[in-house]
Structure formats: structure tokens, C-alpha cells
Amino acid sequence: MNNALPCRLNEFVNESTYQQMVDDMLKMARQLGADQAEVGAHASIGLNVTVRLNEVETLEFNRDKAIGITVYVGQRKGSASTTDISPASLKSTVEAAISLARMTQPDPFAGLAEAIEMAQDIKPLELYHPWDLTVEEAIRLSKTCEQNALAFDKKIVNSEGSTLSSAQSYHVYGNSHGFLGYYPTSRHSLSCTVIAEDAKGMERDYQYTVARAKELLDKAEKVGIDAGERAVRRLSAKKLPTQRVPVLFHATVASGLLSHFISAISGGRLFRKSSFLLDSLNKPVFGKHIHIYERPHIKGGMGSAPFDSDGVATKDKDIVLEGEVKSYILSAYSARKLNLINTGNAGGVHNIFIKPGEEDFDALLKKMNRGLLVTELMGQGINLVTGDYSRGAAGFWVENGQIQYPVHEITIAENLQNMFKRLVAVGNDVDKRSNIQTGSLLIEEMTLAGT
Amino acid sequence: MKNSLEFASDRILVPAGLTVTDLERVLGQLLGHRVDSGDLYFQSVKHESFLLEDGIVKEGSFNLDHGVGVRAISGEKTGFAYSDDIILPALEQAAVAARAIASQGSQTALCAWKHKITKPLYTEKSPLDSLTNEEKIALLRQIDSFARKQDPRVTQVIVSLVGVFDTILVVSSDGTMNADVRPLVRLNVNVIVEQNGRRESGSSGGGGRTTYEYFTENERAFDYAKEAVHQALVNLEAIDAPAGTMTVVLGPGWPGVLLHEAVGHGLEGDFNRKGSSTFSGRIGERVASPLCTVVDDGTIPNRRGSLTIDDEGTPTQRTVLIENGILKGYLQDKLNAKLMGVAPTGNGRRESFSHIPMPRMTNTFMLPGPHAPEEIIASVEKGLYAVNFGGGSVDITSGKFVFSANEAYLIENGKITRPVKGATLIGNGPDVMNKVVMVGNDLALDSGIGTCGKEGQSVPVGVGQPTLRVDNITVGGTKNN
């Protein structure tokens, strides 16, 4: 089998053509009467191979591109985008944005970020590590991964397969301040999902590894073995009686809790008054031992970016210091709405960390002594307006600081404000795969609903 | 008037300079390599959206996407490539990539074209042109001022309006040549209310495969605003939700998300072919109480979940999934139907040309039973009455599913009493379906708001049910009784 599509980004994307397109669209917008404009484009190529029960199941070649423009006519805003980058299409895209901007209503806060905030001398962040991956190698790695999962235990009876994905993307953003920024990125991942069965029924679980460089991926064997182990250990899960208990969120699911915090202090929710953390700046939300910070320029970081989606320089910052909120998460627009200083977070956050404590995972189990270890969460029962949190969960019952047996078909509920206040320990078992990195998080008490 | 095939051909093939002979040649290239079957899926989508908040229509956006997906199938293997350039060289390159999957499989010949025009279930007019831009803006502003007039405690109103005009054309080596012109509109109203420092939200909306006039007919858009305000005000009074296992009465319509999660996903053909679903190999067995008959019906005119043909060109149908509690059938696309030796059910769907088709639901609902809803509530001594939900999700292997109520009340001595805060409900699909003890006579479908996600692909769907009484389901509140 030959890889019939270009496997290098530069065979698919001519960088100078993309930069020229951005420039052309900005010029066109100005000619058509825009006072300000911004254009973002991206192009990516990728390969996904899924192997199931030792046979190739899908072989997928991805090639995507898109370009979009936002124009401001006075204080009125219009946007348009397309996947068709022919000159005629680019022209009609600009025209569509202009015509929308002529009909929307003036918003005194609309417009680009200030020119002075634009990222200067963009430093390379080492986000692009292309992998000359052949289809054969992708198949071989996926097979190795799945074989290790299937061989882990006789109770592994079925598989949803193992998938290797490798993608390379090129990002360019320019605006009418004269800013033009661009950089390529890569992302490679290997995952595996298998099914274990015993007399009580089937359970599935998965494992994955993800990195910008192939050298940083976990070994295929390890990913497979972990997937097998995770599926088997869930078998013969029990339900639990309804009670108030301590809950330990395993590092693999704990980043979700922090992402709710980040959402609740994000500009869009604050100016819409749809957050339970309004007016929380300089106020304690967590205990004094909690520090949360953002580091956007980590070399090769999964969340790293030199500038945000307004073209504004991203920067290191403390978000929570000694439990107090020190910075909201703002874009140019939300900062203007709230009359605060822009934090360079248009489009989101870039590498969030919560400072790990001294304790490893086993020490946290001991500290909890008796309670629930959560390894899976289900559903979207989070109300960020009120902070009410209620989600399906599965995991393990812990007594005497040790895992006793798997549990399922339960929910955990509490108000997030109380959960943050009662976040008593952060483990040093940090899961480094996510844009929000944390160790396991121990919450002093929540309501567990079961039988 | 042109039929959908002529319309799609004019819209997609003609501008690209492609002829039927070109398509035959590309399919021929795809098949020349020990591939069992192959298809080409052309798509052109216009999408627009408008957003009102703080009393002004702040944003309008317009997107135009098009492309072609090329798929080759050999046994259980699928090779797939796509291009957002609809030109012959790109198509040929994608075909070469997709057919790389074949290592076995029979020599297949291209079948003769079977042109079959299916009567469209919805208008072929573009919703984007159904109101002028001025009228769209005026509508959003009227909804905003109407919502604010409902109650002085309303502090924020966010209204979004989305219109999609999707044209697809699918040609397959089995002789399928079919097209569909698919309008889709959606309007949503979100409100925030505030009283003595307490803030709550409410949300309501609807839509379907129709044009924007749908929202102005019968004051529908204003009903959404009323409903959103009502929901938010109810939540201002809500007390902590109970925790534990109890009797739950589910209201009609959107709470049918229960069936989507507890039953629907687990009956999709791919999971059952692979044996990974808790429902695998159980056709003919009892999987629900005898009161339950559940169907998936893609043929209801103008519904959000309906399709005249699915994304493989198969006309949609009404498929009985569970009849009087007995498992009757699965939802199939062509690949899984063939591998399981059954007929496709018109459930082969994909998010777009850049995604691989798989079995998906259309409109999934339970048929009505004998009881008046009042009678069902009166039968419960102590329990929860849940009338509105956010989303849900399911683990099809263990059968565990959740769905989250965002408007619910206590039932005490057969009467609805106090509103309670939102809570997640969790259960096991077949267990919960066996605990359905009363079925109402008030079947309703949802208002046209559902989006279903599976393996990273989103498609619009519908759900529905009559009022149901389910004994013993776990409610994830904070108050331990």
C-alpha cells in the first residue's frame, strides 16, 4: 500500500500563498468599505488508521482547509468563511462579510484588539514535528497496541480497535493593524479501546497517548496494556448506597473540574452574567494552598500558542494565587465589555497548570481513607450559572486508604463553589496529555447518589 | 420544477465541469483494485447565523463549504479520502487513496444507474432566502423585547438564529445515483433572570427542515421566549434535588432523550455487528416492559431528524426497534447491513463529505399508551416529575446512560409540589426500560433541537415520547433523604 496523498504539509500548503490570500482579503475588505478586518486561515493534512481484531478497519486521509474573515464597518460586525480558496470565492466571502456588517447593529465594544497589543517578534515554540508516517507503519503500531490489549487478560473478549492519527496543520492570522502571524503545528496520537467480559456483563475502557512529536508518544505496547488493564478492572462493578462521602477525582478526569473553573471566569460568561463566579477577582475561591497558572510558551506544549485568536501576544500569568482569583480569562472584546485589561485569551487558554502538592496518588488514597475514587464521568450536568454540578460516575470504592472494588451507576453532586473551597489536596500524579494539566484532586465531601 | 437530482447536479457537478461519465470513470478506478463497493458523496452547504445579545444583533456570519468524499469498501475494511476541491484530478487522487484499503475482496463491476426519485419530505427552497436580512434582524429584536416584557427579573436575553441549506449528491458502485436538498432552521432563546442576588437560566427553542417562516407562524418564536422565561423563573424557586433511587415521571416530548440514550445508540448496526453493545445478539428477546414500543422514523415531513434519503442514497423508513418490549431490529447503513445479512434501514448518515458514514438515528420515539398524564402523576406517592432535559450520553457496552434534567418538580401524594434544581439521572438501558410501568396517551415529539454526537460526528436528530412513569431510577441530587 502506498500513501497516495502528500504526507508533508508543504506539499499541500504553499505558505506564501496562504499569507498572500490573507493580505488580499484584508485589502479587498478595505476597498469595500471595512474600517477594520481580520482574516484567519488554516490548512491541515492527516492520516488515521484503525485496526480492529488485528485487521485494518479504516484508513482515512484528511485534507482540510478553510479561510474566514471578520469585518467591522464602524462598530458593526460581519463574518464569513469558506473552504473554497479560488479568487472568486475569496472575493464573494469578503462581500458576504461586508453585507452582513452593513445590517447588524452597532456595538460600541466591537473591533479588533489595540494595535499595540499585537504579538511582536514571534518566537518559535517547536510545535511542528512532522512524522513521515507510512500507512504500513501506522498499521503496525496500531496492531501492536491492540495485540497487547487483547493479550492482557483472558477476560478481554472484544475490541473497538486501536487508532493511530497523525496530523499537521498550518495556521495564519492577519488583521488590518498590519499584523501577520503564522506557524505550523503537528499532533500525533495512538488510542485503544477494548471490551472485557465476565458473568456480570461487559465493560469497555480505553487508553491514549498524544504528543506533538512522535518521540514523546508512549510506547504502543504500554497504551495497549493500560487499555486492557482499565477494561478488566471495571468488571463486576457494584452500586453504592446514597451517602455523603469524600471524592477523589483521578488525574485522568480531574482536568474537567478545572475547565469548569476556567469557563466560569471567562469573559463571555462574566459579561453575560451567566457565571457563578461573577466579581470573583481578588477573592478567595479555593483554599490558600491552591495556585493555578498559565504558561503559553512551553516548547512543544499541547496548548502552546504564540498569539491568541485576536493576534494578541499570549503571556505567562497567575490565575489563582493562594486560592484568590488573580486574573480572568479575557479577549479584546470581553475585556472592553468588562472595562478590564485584555489577558490574551481570545479563543481560550494555553497550558493551564495547578501546582501539584507533595502527595502521590497512593498518598491521596490514604488521605481520603474511605470514599469514592472517580475514574469516569458521564453527561453534561453542570450549570455554570449557579455552579450546580451533578454527573454520572464510575470508579472504585476506597476503604482504609485502599481500593476495594469497582463501582458504577452512581452520580456525584455538589455546588462547584463548595467543591473548589473543599479541594483539600492536589496530587503530584500529573496527567500531561491535556491543555489543562493536573494531578488527582481530592474533594472533602459530595453527595453520592446510588441505591 | 427540477427534481433534486437535477438541482444537485446543476449546483455541484456543472460548475465543476464534471459529467456522469467522469463519475463512472472515478468509480471504475475505485473498483479496479479488488474493492467490493465504493461511493462518491458530493456536498455543497450554505450556513448562516445571527446572534442577538444585550438587545442588539451583534453578529452575523455566513459560511460556504463544499467538497467530495470518496469511500472504498472491501469486506469489513473502509478506505476513505476527501477533497474540498471538486475537480476531477482531486477526485481521482482521493479514489487512489481510498482504494489503498483493498487487500482482498472480489472483482466488482459497476452496476447500471438506478435513478429513483424519492418524494421529498421537505421544501427545496433555501431557508436563507425565506426572509430578508432586515426581517431576520427584526424578528430577533422582537423576540428580545417580548422576552424582557415577560418579567422584570429578566436581565439577559440571547437569541440565535441559524439557517442551513445543504445539497448532497451520492453515487455508488451499486447503481445508486440520488440527491437530496436539505433545508434546516433553528432558533434558540436563552434568558438569565435575577432575584435577590440569585441568578438562574432558562432555554428554549425549535426548528426543523423548513424555512424561517416556521418561526413566525403561530407566534412560535414568542412561545420559545415565554418557555425560556418560565423555565428560568421556576428555577429561581427550586430547592435542592433529592438524591437516590426513586420513581420518576418523565414529561412528553424532549425527555424522549431517554430512549435515544437507553435504547437507540445500543441498537445501531455497527455496534451490534461487532458485538460491543449490551443489546448485541438479543433480537427476539424481552429488553423492555411490554408497555414499550419504540420506533425510529426518518420519514416525518419537515422534522429536524428526518431525511428523504440517507447519506448513502437509501430512502429513510420507519423501523420498529422494540415492539411490546421485544427487541425487533437494528438501525443499519449499507456496510453493516451487508455484513449482518439484512437490508439497510436508511440510517447511514455522516456529518459531512469529510466524514465516514455510519448507522445513526433519525427521529426516535415511543408510541403512546392508555393513561392520561394526570392519572400517571396521581399514581405516584413520592417521586420526581422531570419535564425538561439538557443532554445525555451512553456507554453502549455496559448499557449505562445518563441524562440531565434542567426543569423538575417533586411529586408528593400524587401532586406536583415544589420545583427542584437540575440533576443527572443514571441507569442501565435494559433495566430502566423494564421499569417503565405506565405509558401516557400524550405522545409528543421534541420541538426540533436535538443534535447527536457519535465518534466525533454531529448530526441533527429528533426524539419523542408520551408521559412515562419509571420506577426506580437513580436521581443525582444533593439532598440525601
Side-chain angles (χ1 to χ4, degrees):
Chain A
M1 277 184 248
N2 286 316
N3 188 341
L5 290 182
C7 63
R8 278 286 185 153
L9 192 60
N10 60 15
E11 294 169 43
F12 177 54
V13 182
N14 181 322
E15 296 194 14
S16 59
T17 307
Y18 271 71
Q19 292 163 24
Q20 192 60 51
M21 283 193 306
V22 169
D23 207 44
D24 290 347
M25 286 179 87
L26 290 172
K27 278 201 191 100
M28 246 184 276
R30 210 165 307 137
Q31 281 159 11
L32 290 171
D35 296 293
Q36 290 189 317
E38 55 188 334
V39 178
H42 77 89
S44 62
I45 63 169
L47 173 67
N48 293 316
V49 172
T50 299
V51 163
R52 178 172 175 267
L53 298 177
N54 222 23
E55 292 280 342
V56 178
E57 184 171 67
T58 58
L59 170 57
E60 199 176 338
F61 297 92
N62 300 317
R63 288 163 52 131
D64 295 286
K65 57 181 160 46
I67 190 161
I69 182 165
T70 296
V71 299
Y72 299 92
V73 176
Q75 295 302 114
R76 296 183 300 179
K77 178 179 176 183
S79 305
S81 69
T82 183
T83 54
D84 178 354
I85 59 169
S86 65
S89 164
L90 296 185
K91 181 161 182 282
S92 61
T93 302
V94 177
E95 286 165 353
I98 294 275
S99 84
L100 283 166
R102 294 203 186 282
M103 53 172 280
T104 53
Q105 297 171 283
D107 175 354
F109 304 98
L112 298 178
E114 304 307 315
I116 198 168
E117 295 174 319
M118 295 298 117
Q120 309 282 332
D121 66 294
I122 294 163
K123 292 189 186 67
L125 296 177
E126 298 173 18
L127 306 179
Y128 182 56
H129 303 271
W131 183 353
D132 286 327
L133 178 67
T134 61
V135 170
E136 288 80 359
E137 192 183 359
I139 292 171
R140 188 183 61 76
L141 284 165
S142 300
K143 280 190 176 175
T144 303
C145 183
E146 195 201 36
Q147 283 161 0
N148 277 274
L150 292 171
F152 175 77
D153 193 299
K154 283 199 198 70
K155 297 192 195 82
I156 307 281
V157 296
N158 201 345
S159 170
E160 290 195 359
S162 176
T163 301
L164 184 75
S165 299
S166 174
Q168 303 163 43
S169 307
Y170 180 69
H171 313 262
V172 52
Y173 169 89
N175 64 33
S176 53
H177 291 320
F179 177 82
L180 182 71
Y182 42 88
Y183 58 98
T185 61
S186 56
R187 186 182 193 278
H188 317 293
S189 68
L190 177 64
S191 66
C192 184
T193 305
V194 286
I195 296 171
E197 187 172 22
D198 69 1
K200 297 274 180 62
M202 295 192 292
E203 293 284 354
R204 71 169 173 189
D205 214 324
Y206 67 95
Q207 179 62 297
Y208 73 96
T209 176
V210 60
R212 295 216 181 263
K214 68 172 178 186
E215 294 78 16
L216 299 176
L217 290 176
D218 289 342
K219 291 260 174 293
E221 291 82 355
K222 178 175 162 30
V223 174
I225 290 167
D226 286 355
E229 186 181 0
R230 286 167 60 98
V232 168
R233 71 181 188 183
R234 297 179 67 149
L235 289 170
S236 289
K238 299 178 187 175
K239 294 188 197 175
L240 288 169
T242 301
Q243 56 193 302
R244 294 278 295 174
V245 285
V247 177
L248 179 60
F249 286 76
H250 191 267
T252 51
V253 296
S255 66
L257 278 188
L258 295 185
S259 76
H260 307 323
F261 167 70
I262 296 292
S263 299
I265 58 160
S266 290
R269 288 205 161 265
L270 297 173
F271 77 70
R272 292 183 186 99
K273 298 212 184 311
S274 59
S275 166
F276 66 98
L277 290 179
L278 297 183
D279 306 316
S280 56
L281 208 55
N282 295 318
K283 290 186 188 145
V285 167
F286 296 91
K288 276 200 172 304
H289 58 295
I290 299 297
H291 313 284
I292 299 172
Y293 46 93
E294 185 184 30
R295 297 287 179 267
H297 302 148
I298 292 173
K299 298 268 162 64
M302 289 309 297
S304 297
F307 52 86
D308 75 359
S309 56
D310 289 332
V312 172
T314 49
K315 46 187 174 290
D316 287 1
K317 63 172 134 329
D318 289 327
I319 293 168
V320 172
L321 207 57
E322 296 190 338
E324 285 185 9
V325 177
K326 290 296 164 195
S327 175
Y328 289 145
I329 305 297
L330 306 174
S331 63
Y333 181 77
S334 61
R336 247 177 244 140
K337 287 281 286 185
L338 293 161
N339 196 23
L340 291 168
I341 301 206
N342 185 356
T343 65
N345 287 107
V349 290
H350 305 281
N351 302 321
I352 296 287
F353 298 89
I354 182 165
K355 192 175 171 216
E358 301 292 316
E359 289 145 312
D360 64 11
F361 176 67
D362 287 336
L364 288 183
L365 283 180
K366 287 203 177 65
K367 184 169 201 152
M368 176 163 76
N369 188 39
R370 179 182 177 278
L372 177 70
L373 166 64
V374 173
T375 54
E376 183 177 83
L377 290 162
M378 287 183 86
Q380 303 94 34
I382 300 133
N383 182 341
L384 289 176
V385 177
T386 59
D388 291 327
Y389 179 100
S390 165
R391 298 186 78 186
F396 298 87
W397 182 244
V398 174
E399 280 197 36
N400 303 319
Q402 289 192 328
I403 289 175
Q404 303 295 318
Y405 49 82
V407 296
H408 66 178
E409 212 176 317
I410 51 177
T411 61
I412 49 173
E414 184 48 79
N415 190 280
L416 282 168
Q417 214 148 1
N418 296 335
M419 290 166 70
F420 293 156
K421 283 253 154 60
R422 303 179 78 176
L423 168 51
V424 290
V426 181
N428 61 15
D429 55 334
V430 180
D431 183 348
K432 296 181 174 163
R433 296 173 296 186
S434 161
N435 183 27
I436 297 178
Q437 296 189 9
T438 174
S440 297
L441 299 176
L442 178 59
I443 308 290
E444 206 170 23
E445 197 176 55
M446 296 182 71
T447 301
L448 180 163
T451 55
Chain B
M1 197 174 140
K2 291 191 172 188
N3 69 41
S4 52
L5 187 57
E6 290 161 336
F7 183 93
S9 175
D10 282 357
R11 184 159 168 71
I12 300 172
L13 300 182
V14 173
L18 290 172
T19 62
V20 170
T21 318
D22 293 327
L23 305 188
E24 285 169 354
R25 197 163 83 231
V26 175
L27 279 174
Q29 283 169 349
L30 202 57
L31 291 179
H33 219 260
R34 295 194 297 178
V35 161
D36 296 334
S37 62
D39 60 10
L40 312 178
Y41 181 89
F42 294 87
Q43 185 176 33
S44 171
V45 196
K46 287 182 190 173
H47 174 285
E48 71 173 6
S49 67
F50 296 92
L51 177 78
L52 175 145
E53 69 178 5
D54 299 328
I56 54 176
V57 179
K58 275 183 187 173
E59 278 184 49
S61 76
F62 175 78
N63 312 298
L64 179 61
D65 291 346
H66 68 208
V68 55
V70 179
R71 178 171 62 147
I73 292 174
S74 170
E76 297 187 27
K77 300 175 170 29
T78 300
F80 181 67
Y82 58 89
S83 168
D84 44 25
D85 295 316
I86 303 184
I87 50 171
L88 192 56
L91 255 174
E92 288 175 330
Q93 201 181 28
V96 170
R99 78 183 187 194
I101 192 68
S103 60
Q104 57 194 43
S106 46
Q107 197 74 30
T108 313
L110 189 57
C111 297
W113 296 122
K114 292 174 279 205
H115 295 281
K116 204 177 120 202
I117 299 301
T118 313
K119 189 173 174 289
L121 295 171
Y122 25 78
T123 178
E124 300 194 343
K125 284 190 204 140
S126 170
L128 281 61
D129 305 328
S130 62
L131 291 180
T132 64
N133 284 336
E134 289 71 21
E135 286 167 333
K136 294 169 202 168
I137 300 237
L139 173 64
L140 295 190
R141 299 189 67 179
Q142 284 160 15
I143 296 167
D144 175 63
S145 60
F146 180 84
R148 288 176 190 276
K149 270 186 213 136
Q150 295 302 299
D151 196 285
R153 290 169 288 182
V154 174
T155 57
Q156 177 65 279
V157 178
I158 299 170
V159 190
S160 66
L161 180 71
V162 174
V164 183
F165 191 49
D166 185 4
T167 306
I168 65 122
L169 187 155
V170 56
V171 295
S172 161
S173 59
D174 65 9
T176 302
M177 183 184 278
N178 219 334
D180 198 11
V181 177
R182 300 169 173 172
L184 188 67
V185 294
R186 168 88 196 263
L187 190 144
N188 203 71
V189 184
N190 272 286
V191 302
I192 304 275
V193 296
E194 192 174 338
Q195 175 177 274
N196 304 327
R198 179 170 173 178
R199 261 180 299 273
E200 293 283 350
S201 57
S203 167
S204 178
R209 294 204 178 276
T210 176
T211 57
Y212 290 136
E213 285 110 328
Y214 177 77
F215 299 120
T216 49
E217 287 161 15
N218 307 317
E219 310 266 293
R220 262 192 200 99
F222 300 102
D223 288 343
Y224 301 150
K226 251 188 226 166
E227 175 56 34
V229 173
H230 163 78
Q231 205 186 91
L233 293 178
V234 165
N235 282 330
L236 274 181
E237 310 297 329
I239 57 171
D240 288 345
T245 299
M246 62 197 73
T247 295
V248 175
V249 176
L250 298 167
W254 178 242
V257 71
L258 162 80
L259 306 168
H260 181 97
E261 306 297 355
V263 175
H265 278 297
L267 297 181
E268 288 164 343
D270 45 355
F271 299 133
N272 288 285
R273 190 234 327 154
K274 297 174 188 176
S276 60
S277 164
T278 185
F279 291 102
S280 297
R282 298 184 65 183
I283 296 266
E285 287 181 28
R286 172 163 305 287
V287 296
S289 91
L291 305 170
C292 299
T293 294
V294 181
V295 302
D296 182 85
D297 189 348
T299 69
I300 312 167
N302 307 323
R303 297 295 310 180
R304 181 174 167 89
S306 296
L307 291 173
T308 305
I309 55 166
D310 73 3
D311 293 321
E312 297 182 303
T314 309
T316 55
Q317 63 181 47
R318 179 180 176 109
T319 306
V320 177
L321 302 174
I322 294 174
E323 190 170 29
N324 303 323
I326 307 295
L327 182 59
K328 288 289 174 183
Y330 299 127
L331 298 170
Q332 300 289 3
D333 62 356
K334 284 182 179 175
L335 169 69
N336 290 287
K338 186 177 172 213
L339 292 170
M340 291 181 80
V342 296
T345 57
N347 291 87
R349 302 185 64 185
R350 62 203 294 175
E351 181 178 310
S352 78
F353 69 90
S354 62
H355 297 84
I356 298 181
M358 55 186 158
R360 301 296 296 263
M361 285 173 260
T362 59
N363 304 295
T364 313
F365 54 93
M366 187 186 289
L367 300 190
H371 297 286
E374 302 76 28
E375 194 186 340
I376 296 178
I377 289 160
S379 74
V380 179
E381 197 182 318
K382 193 164 177 242
L384 189 77
Y385 178 51
V387 294
N388 230 313
F389 282 83
S393 69
V394 63
D395 173 340
I396 50 104
T397 302
S398 68
K400 300 292 174 290
F401 72 96
V402 294
F403 57 140
S404 300
N406 50 25
E407 183 184 345
Y409 304 82
L410 295 178
I411 307 176
E412 292 167 302
N413 301 317
K415 292 205 167 57
I416 295 167
T417 56
R418 299 200 61 178
V420 296
K421 288 182 171 214
T424 288
L425 278 59
I426 189 164
N428 179 301
D431 283 359
V432 167
M433 294 307 293
N434 270 302
K435 290 175 192 158
V436 173
V437 295
M438 289 175 97
V439 178
N441 57 12
D442 55 342
L443 168 64
L445 299 180
D446 76 275
S447 59
I449 56 174
T451 298
C452 167
K454 175 178 172 185
E455 290 169 30
Q457 293 196 38
S458 294
V459 295
V461 294
V463 298
Q465 66 178 29
T467 297
L468 297 182
R469 173 175 162 169
V470 186
D471 282 0
N472 297 324
I473 183 164
T474 301
V475 176
T478 52
K479 196 162 184 279
N480 187 0
N481 294 331

